[in-house]
Amino acid sequence: MSGVYERLGVRRIVNAKGPSTRLSGGPMRPEVAAAMAEAAGTCVDLLELHAAASRRLAELTGAEAGLVTAGAAAALLLGAAACATGFDPAAMARLPEIAGGRDRVVMVRSQRNQYDHAVRTAGLAIVEVGLPDRFAGAGCRDAEAWEIDAAIDARTACVLWVAHPRARPPLAEVAAVARVRGVPVLVDAAGQLPPKENLRRFLEEGADLVAFSGGKAIGGPQGSGLLLGRRELVAAAALQMLDMDYPPGLFRPDPAFLPTERLAGLPPHGIGRPCKVGKEQIVGLLTALELFLAEDEERRRGPWLEAVAALARGLEGLPGLALEPRLDLPVPELALRLDAERARLDARGLLDALVAGEPPIHPDPEELEEGRIVLRPDCLLPGDVELVLERLRVLLGPPGS
Ligand SMILES: *Cc1c(COP(=O)(O)O)cnc(C)c1O
């Protein structure tokens, strides 16, 4: 047990849910932690580091440019701001006020979610389109590309599309109508890794900017993210995040990263200044991304499949418990379905008991209403499988066993 947490009186948890913010992300690989510690010990010119990171991100992902951000939500804020202002320093300085400009984001109604605060923070209002009656069980349709087309007008800064296997209409169709109308498409792909092909996929399908979380599957610092995409938009985003406290003449970025010759003047600190990143985040995320891309996907899945198999073996025969391994997912998982009549606890009771134990065990509660809890292996530490098995056998086994 780590001394830093002990000194604060904070307990470790077993993270059987996967990387998520409220559970402090995932465990960081030692190589990433070491790279961050090394970066922390020396000062550099942050602008030079951002420019180098952008070049490296372009090599790794095929994007024209990239920016390390303080999370995917920060990337959405910065991306939306870039779409609203373009390369106009006066417009940057005015945000979140957008007088007479591009102050709206078109978004499919069924994709609205709690992270759209990020684009609203930049001063943009969301225009919803589509009637997702497939979710109400009252129909079978969702938004269609023509509806996005019809909603785009002179006030549209961008179309925001939230990547998910269920997302409708498909990105390629959305990008096609937006391209014709000259409006960029910003994609929220925060949690869409693995598979690692997705790092390139959304740009290939026509997105202009894509936001990824650095603290989820990539395994970077918990408070990091990526904004990838078109050079000009990434530059506008970067300008609105960077510290601009430069005496005249000293702001001299790599023109390939920030083409300042096209700026009418240097804007002051922008709307993204509250989501700054440090050298440690930049180096940590780049290191994590290199490791993530270098690792063979099947090899990465090997230990996860073993953990799921070990959990399933160890839980066989407990009364009222049905085991549903889902081995085909990018991250395989084990769903535990509890028969409320026969099991000692229902799904809600089991969740509460796991979280109340010592150390607390956190499964994924998303399917609680269907009577299931889900165990995921990608953030388990050595020994955690045994710990989870022991606890579940005590909670669900015959009394006194
Ligand atoms: C996790 C998530 C985010 C936020 O990512 P952070 O890196 O924590 O800022 C945004 N959008 C979606 C869809 C997510 O799943």
Side-chain angles (χ1 to χ4, degrees):
M1 171 71 207
S2 163
V4 287
Y5 292 132
E6 242 162 44
R7 279 203 295 283
L8 291 166
V10 173
R11 301 162 302 166
R12 74 153 289 213
I13 61 164
V14 173
N15 182 353
K17 178 177 184 293
S20 42
T21 299
R22 71 179 171 88
L23 302 180
S24 74
M28 183 178 278
R29 291 165 72 145
E31 302 96 309
V32 179
M36 289 179 78
E38 187 186 333
T42 311
C43 286
V44 294
D45 183 327
L46 197 63
L47 197 48
E48 200 180 313
L49 181 58
H50 271 297
S54 178
R55 285 195 297 275
R56 190 76 188 108
L57 287 169
E59 287 164 15
L60 291 171
T61 68
E64 285 178 19
L67 182 67
V68 176
T69 65
L76 293 176
L77 188 162
L78 292 160
C83 294
T85 64
F87 231 52
D88 175 355
M92 291 178 187
R94 266 199 309 270
L95 284 187
E97 277 90 50
I98 311 176
R102 295 173 175 262
D103 63 348
R104 292 181 175 170
V105 173
V106 172
M107 191 173 179
V108 169
R109 181 171 280 116
S110 64
Q111 296 187 6
R112 286 294 307 270
N113 67 83
Q114 53 195 335
Y115 296 104
D116 54 42
H117 256 296
V119 298
R120 289 186 286 136
T121 303
L124 294 148
I126 290 172
V127 176
E128 293 182 358
V129 303
L131 195 61
D133 57 10
R134 63 184 172 131
F135 290 101
C140 60
R141 291 174 65 175
D142 201 330
E144 291 167 17
W146 67 267
E147 294 176 285
I148 292 174
D149 185 51
I152 292 174
D153 62 18
R155 294 176 67 175
T156 308
C158 63
V159 177
L160 175 58
W161 191 84
V162 182
H164 190 276
R166 272 198 305 269
R168 299 287 180 280
L171 177 58
E173 289 178 20
V174 175
V177 299
R179 194 176 314 114
V180 171
R181 305 294 298 274
V183 167
V185 177
L186 168 62
V187 170
D188 176 354
Q192 298 303 303
L193 301 170
K196 59 185 167 194
E197 300 82 63
N198 278 2
L199 213 47
R200 293 169 176 269
R201 179 173 143 212
F202 305 112
L203 292 170
E204 285 168 0
E205 288 179 355
D208 296 278
L209 286 172
V210 185
F212 288 101
S213 203
K216 292 181 181 167
I218 294 174
Q222 197 201 341
S224 71
L226 279 177
L227 183 65
L228 302 175
R230 282 202 356 239
R231 186 181 307 281
E232 159 137 352
L233 287 169
V234 172
L239 264 178
Q240 298 181 77
M241 178 181 81
L242 289 168
D243 192 283
M244 300 305 285
D245 210 1
Y246 285 86
L250 261 196
F251 186 76
R252 295 192 210 109
D254 176 352
F257 177 52
L258 293 179
T260 43
E261 77 284 352
R262 292 190 29 232
L263 278 175
L266 210 53
H269 290 348
I271 187 102
R273 180 61 180 75
C275 22
K276 80 169 181 185
V277 289
K279 56 189 180 305
E280 303 85 0
Q281 278 74 35
I282 298 173
V283 168
L285 182 49
L286 284 178
T287 308
L289 186 63
E290 284 168 0
L291 293 167
F292 175 77
L293 287 171
E295 194 171 40
D296 179 70
E297 212 115 84
E298 281 313 304
R299 254 187 84 168
R300 183 177 14 238
R301 281 165 51 81
W304 295 342
L305 288 166
E306 275 169 34
V308 169
L311 286 166
R313 262 197 319 276
L315 296 173
E316 242 165 57
L318 288 173
L321 177 67
L323 302 167
E324 301 173 359
R326 299 165 181 167
L327 304 180
D328 293 338
L329 297 172
V331 179
E333 63 191 28
L334 180 65
L336 311 183
R337 190 160 47 80
L338 291 129
D339 177 343
E341 305 288 301
R342 292 181 51 235
R344 278 179 61 203
L345 293 167
D346 63 8
R348 175 75 225 195
L350 182 59
L351 172 71
D352 289 339
L354 286 171
V355 172
E358 204 46 56
I361 295 172
H362 287 269
D364 190 327
E366 216 169 279
E367 298 179 30
L368 219 48
E369 282 184 23
E370 290 91 64
R372 296 191 199 93
I373 65 165
V374 176
L375 301 174
R376 225 165 272 129
D378 48 334
C379 291
L380 295 178
L381 296 176
D384 281 355
V385 165
E386 293 71 24
L387 230 152
V388 171
L389 282 176
E390 202 178 308
R391 184 84 57 80
L392 284 170
R393 288 200 204 103
V394 170
L395 290 170
L396 296 174
S401 69

